[in-house]
């Protein structure tokens, strides 16, 4: 069965510091992986997705993620945090035998301190 | 384009009352989804529609019904609301009929409180 685990429900960084949000997946087949962001009182929007074309995926707002098959990880990073990055971040994997349905992780809330 | 819209934005119900959450998309997408979001649990799929006239159960369908009224609209109905259905509900859509790599586009959500 496929699953996604996000390590850390809350992460706090200082403005200008590195952002690292962790995501590990479990899948018996090559996965399609996604990172979505949810700003306060809004819906989710796509940050980036891995579809096997390249292991380092660049997304919007300076975020990127690296697919590491050996570690079954898809961690999200940004070199320098900005106050506007404060949001909740969700990692998700496509259900291989159920089309486009997504399995979401529990989410990581990112706080950015001035 | 408005994208995905949801009504109402907020609703308070009493236990046993019924209501319908409305969702519409103007992107000519084929697939539409209903999720619920609860603290510490991420988003869980309630129902899914790969095309007009078809619906399929997700992880947590009990207590809900859906209707894919046409290509644009996908409604979620609570026949007899329970406090356990207090949640934030999100509608989403995607362009295809359920390919693995599709991006889903989300509405702003409906906050439902069942007393």
């Amino acid at each position: 069965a496929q699953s996604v685990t996000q390590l850390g429900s809350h992460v706090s960084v200082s403005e200008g510091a590195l952002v690292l949000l962790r995501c590990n997946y479990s899948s018996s087949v090559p996965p399609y992986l996604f990172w979505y962001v949810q700003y306060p009182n809004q819906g989710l929007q796509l940050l980036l997705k891995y579809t096997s074309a390249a292991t380092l995926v660049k997304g919007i707002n300076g975020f990127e993620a690296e697919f590491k098959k050996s570690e079954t990880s898809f961690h999200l990073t940004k070199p320098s945090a900005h106050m506007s990055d404060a949001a909740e971040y969700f990692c998700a994997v496509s259900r291989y035998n159920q089309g486009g349905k997504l399995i979401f992780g529990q989410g990581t809330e990112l706080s950015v301190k001035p | 384009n408005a994208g995905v819209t949801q009504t109402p934005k907020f609703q308070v119900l009493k236990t046993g009352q019924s209501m319908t959450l409305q969702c519409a998309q103007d992107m000519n997408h084929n697939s539409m989804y209903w999720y619920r979001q609860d603290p510490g649990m991420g988003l869980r799929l309630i129902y899914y529609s790969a095309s007009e006239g078809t619906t399929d159960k997700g992880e947590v369908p009990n207590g809900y019904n859906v209707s894919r009224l046409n290509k644009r609209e996908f409604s979620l109905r609570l026949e007899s609301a329970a406090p356990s259905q207090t949640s934030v509900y999100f509608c989403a859509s995607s362009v295809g009929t359920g390919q693995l790599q599709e991006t889903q586009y989300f509405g702003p959500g409906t906050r439902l409180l069942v007393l």
Side-chain angles (χ1 to χ4, degrees), chain A residues 13-16 83 111-114:
Chain A
V13 301
S14 297
E15 193 172 19
M83 297 295 291
S111 301
V112 182
K113 299 175 291 186

Side-chain angles (χ1 to χ4, degrees), chain A residues 32 34 36 38 41-46 49 51 88 90 94-96 98-102 104-107, chain B residues 33 35 37 40-43 45 48 56-59 90 98-108 111:
Chain A
Y32 291 94
F34 304 76
Y36 282 85
Q38 183 181 30
N41 299 313
Q42 295 186 27
L44 281 71
Q45 63 182 86
L46 182 72
K49 63 181 176 181
T51 59
E88 189 155 20
F90 293 94
S94 279
R95 293 174 185 263
Y96 191 80
Q98 295 186 43
K101 297 177 187 177
L102 294 175
F104 283 90
Q106 71 271 36
Chain B
Y33 312 80
Y35 292 92
Q37 182 182 25
M41 302 187 73
L43 278 76
L45 183 67
Y48 158 72
D56 193 12
K57 294 179 180 179
E59 298 174 72
F90 288 99
Q99 283 69 51
L100 295 172
Q101 70 275 25
E102 286 180 4
T103 297
Q104 293 186 18
Y105 296 83
F106 286 79
R111 294 181 180 275

Side-chain angles (χ1 to χ4, degrees), chain B:
Chain B
N1 287 348
V4 179
T5 57
Q6 293 182 235
T7 56
K9 291 185 178 181
F10 182 71
Q11 184 73 45
V12 179
L13 290 178
K14 295 181 180 179
T15 297
Q17 288 185 317
S18 62
M19 78 163 294
T20 300
L21 283 65
Q22 306 286 356
C23 173
Q25 51 89 11
D26 62 0
M27 298 175 283
N28 200 35
H29 284 176
N30 286 295
S31 293
M32 297 186 74
Y33 312 80
W34 275 107
Y35 292 92
R36 60 178 289 172
Q37 182 182 25
D38 301 292
M41 302 187 73
L43 278 76
R44 292 179 292 169
L45 183 67
I46 304 171
Y47 269 96
Y48 158 72
S49 171
S51 61
E52 183 179 350
T54 68
T55 61
D56 193 12
K57 294 179 180 179
E59 298 174 72
V60 289
N62 291 344
Y64 304 96
N65 286 301
V66 291
S67 296
R68 184 73 182 268
L69 304 171
N70 48 55
K71 193 171 185 179
R72 291 187 63 248
E73 298 172 288
F74 189 39
S75 63
L76 178 72
R77 183 161 178 83
L78 287 70
E79 292 291 351
S80 179
S84 61
Q85 294 178 304
T86 293
S87 188
V88 181
Y89 291 85
F90 288 99
C91 178
S93 68
S94 62
V95 63
T97 55
Q99 283 69 51
L100 295 172
Q101 70 275 25
E102 286 180 4
T103 297
Q104 293 186 18
Y105 296 83
F106 286 79
T110 295
R111 294 181 180 275
L112 176 65
L113 174 62
V114 182
L115 301 176

Side-chain angles (χ1 to χ4, degrees), chain A residues 11-12 22 26 57 75 77-79 95-96 99 101 113:
Chain A
V11 170
S12 181
R22 299 177 187 271
S26 171
V57 182
H75 301 334
T77 60
K78 182 174 180 177
R95 293 174 185 263
Y96 191 80
K101 297 177 187 177
K113 299 175 291 186

Side-chain angles (χ1 to χ4, degrees), chain A residues 20-75:
Chain A
L20 171 60
L21 304 181
R22 299 177 187 271
C23 173
N24 288 89
Y25 69 90
S26 171
S27 178
S28 58
V29 296
Y32 291 94
L33 294 159
F34 304 76
W35 275 101
Y36 282 85
V37 60
Q38 183 181 30
Y39 297 105
N41 299 313
Q42 295 186 27
L44 281 71
Q45 63 182 86
L46 182 72
L47 268 180
L48 50 83
K49 63 181 176 181
Y50 168 74
T51 59
S52 77
T55 56
L56 183 61
V57 182
K58 295 187 182 298
I60 61 172
N61 300 336
F63 283 93
E64 62 182 35
E66 186 172 8
F67 174 72
K68 292 187 176 181
K69 184 178 179 181
S70 61
E71 299 177 7
T72 61
S73 68
F74 190 56
H75 301 334

